[in-house]
């Protein structure tokens, strides 16, 4: 028996207000809500087909067979929901530099949740897809939707999911991504955030301040106040990274080049009066939130200073798409 082969494209998202810590590690319920921008430039295409001839799941990433227990564990959730026992062939192509802090797990699990559930015969709406994707990787629940997306914290499996704030953005903004390093990250986000929850003496202050950031950034989005969105984004990222510096053992995701780019962004802002703000995730790449009209100037300026670094500009992107009919 062969299920239909379903292919889904999901775009990555970058959090402006970060998810950093879990209340429930099995179900991936976060300690705080978060808010992201989905990007058009970085995405994952994933095909899933269940096949009674298979003795185990076969997962290939960019054409290479992987031994990935997490993917099979995720498919177990789908199999249980659909009440099937078949294994699947999963083919993923990542148009995102893998695990370099460009949130590839977000697009990966959003695409996998949508493709696998449909191939298994489930007809989930986007809210249920968001809950399912969340159990693969927390940030993936936001990649179901395009534009500005909030992950409402919730308190159990059923109440923790993402909601679109503005899917079709008629606003010319985007992110300039500085590819400082495409290599594997030193500390996974999963291990990093858990260490922080358990040991940072600043953790409760973080949770409190994020709740304010969320209220303020949603207000700023509504009012189209780009400056305020940028200020909240930059300070929220620095607070997240200061948790890592204050954990035991301490760790950080910065490379010297990341810090140099952060300073250069501040300088462009101060000296040229251009609105640009940085954020970093669990890796050294720097993402610069800016308006599309300024992207070329900022890119040009930074490319001159950092000639061996690649910069890619991404506009706001859409939610998941089924690629076969
Ligand atoms: O995206 O342990 O989703 O809000 O990217 O798989 O649930 O990979 F900066 C870090 C993403 C964390 C912030 O963590 O963790 C954000 C981060 P998982 P994720």
């Amino acid at each position: 028996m062969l299920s239909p082969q379903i292919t889904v494209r999901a775009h990555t998202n970058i959090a402006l207000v970060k998810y950093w810590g879990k209340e429930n590690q099995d179900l991936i319920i976060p300690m705080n809500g978060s808010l992201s921008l989905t990007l058009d430039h970085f995405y994952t295409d994933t095909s899933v087909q269940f096949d009674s001839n298979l003795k185990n799941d076969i997962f290939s990433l960019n054409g290479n067979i992987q031994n990935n227990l997490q993917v099979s564990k995720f498919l177990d959730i789908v199999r249980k929901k659909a009440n099937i026992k078949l294994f699947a062939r999963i083919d993923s192509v990542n148009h995102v530099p893998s695990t370099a802090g460009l949130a590839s797990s977000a697009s990966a699990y959003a695409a996998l949740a949508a493709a696998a559930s449909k191939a298994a015969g489930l007809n989930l709406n986007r809210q249920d897809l968001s809950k399912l994707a969340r159990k693969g990787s927390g940030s993936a629940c936001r990649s179901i939707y395009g534009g500005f997306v909030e992950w409402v914290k919730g308190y159990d499996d059923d109440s923790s999911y993402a909601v679109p704030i503005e899917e079709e953005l008629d606003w010319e903004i985007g992110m300039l991504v500085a590819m400082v390093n495409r290599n594997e990250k030193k500390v996974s986000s999963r291990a990093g955030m858990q260490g922080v929850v358990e040991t940072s003496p600043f953790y409760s202050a973080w949770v409190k301040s994020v709740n304010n950031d969320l209220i303020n950034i949603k207000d700023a989005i509504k009012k189209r106040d780009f400056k305020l969105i940028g200020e909240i984004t930059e300070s929220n990222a620095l607070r997240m990274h200061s948790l890592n510096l204050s954990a035991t053992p301490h760790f950080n995701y910065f490379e010297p080049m990341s810090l140099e780019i952060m300073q250069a962004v501040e300088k462009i802002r101060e000296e040229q009066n251009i609105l640009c703000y940085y954020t970093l995730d669990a890796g050294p790449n720097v993402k610069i939130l800016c308006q599309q009209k300024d992207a070329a100037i900022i890119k040009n300026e930074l490319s001159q200073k950092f000639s061996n670094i690649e910069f890619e500009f991404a506009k706001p992107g859409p939610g998941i798409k089924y690629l076969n009919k």
Side-chain angles (χ1 to χ4, degrees), residues 35-199:
L35 189 143
S36 58
L37 181 65
T38 302
L39 299 181
D40 69 345
H41 204 62
F42 307 103
Y43 56 89
T44 302
D45 288 342
T46 296
S47 302
V48 178
Q49 184 168 41
F50 291 92
D51 181 346
S52 54
N53 289 321
L54 294 177
K55 302 267 178 310
N56 47 270
D57 296 316
I58 300 176
F59 170 47
S60 87
L61 179 61
N62 300 331
N64 304 311
I65 302 286
Q66 311 280 311
N67 197 355
N68 190 319
L69 262 180
Q70 242 182 302
V71 166
S72 281
K73 263 181 66 186
F74 183 78
L75 285 180
D76 287 342
I77 300 173
V78 175
R79 279 186 277 263
K80 197 168 163 204
K81 250 187 191 313
N83 202 13
I84 60 167
K85 295 217 152 59
L86 308 182
F87 292 109
R89 198 172 293 104
I90 308 109
D91 294 306
S92 253
V93 178
N94 239 343
H95 300 264
V96 182
S98 289
T99 64
L102 263 189
S104 62
S105 70
S107 54
Y109 278 100
L112 182 61
S117 61
K118 184 142 192 217
L122 293 166
N123 232 332
L124 303 183
N125 61 29
R126 293 205 296 174
Q127 189 179 101
D128 286 335
L129 284 177
S130 178
K131 293 177 199 171
L132 178 60
R134 189 199 78 229
K135 285 184 272 197
S137 184
S139 53
C141 76
R142 298 184 307 239
S143 273
I144 299 297
Y145 300 99
F148 285 119
V149 184
E150 180 181 8
W151 176 6
V152 178
K153 176 192 165 321
Y155 48 87
D156 63 6
D157 192 19
D158 221 37
S159 58
S160 187
Y161 52 82
V163 293
I165 298 287
E166 267 195 62
E167 278 224 85
E168 305 282 335
L169 271 184
D170 57 342
W171 200 10
E172 312 233 305
I173 59 169
M175 279 195 175
L176 182 64
V177 180
M179 306 283 184
V180 172
N181 192 334
R182 287 170 188 261
N183 296 333
E184 298 262 325
K185 49 194 167 192
K186 306 172 271 188
V187 181
S188 71
S189 43
R190 195 154 291 189
M193 67 173 83
Q194 189 54 26
V196 155
V197 170
E198 287 167 11
T199 68

Side-chain angles (χ1 to χ4, degrees), residues 13 15 17-20 22 28 34 105 136-140 142 189-190 193 240 280-282:
N13 71 77
V17 174
K18 309 286 188 196
Y19 147 55
W20 201 237
K22 295 178 180 69
I28 311 199
S34 52
S105 70
S137 184
S139 53
R142 298 184 307 239
S189 43
R190 195 154 291 189
M193 67 173 83
M240 177 200 122
L280 290 88
D281 293 290

Side-chain angles (χ1 to χ4, degrees), residues 17-23 29-34 153-154 193 196-198 200-215 236 239-240 242-243:
V17 174
K18 309 286 188 196
Y19 147 55
W20 201 237
K22 295 178 180 69
E23 193 173 279
I29 311 293
M31 285 286 204
N32 57 266
S34 52
K153 176 192 165 321
M193 67 173 83
V196 155
V197 170
E198 287 167 11
S200 171
F202 307 147
Y203 198 77
S204 57
W206 158 258
V207 173
K208 223 193 246 163
S209 76
V210 173
N211 289 331
N212 287 330
D213 287 347
L214 271 176
I215 293 168
N236 180 273
R239 284 176 183 175
M240 177 200 122
S242 71
L243 290 175

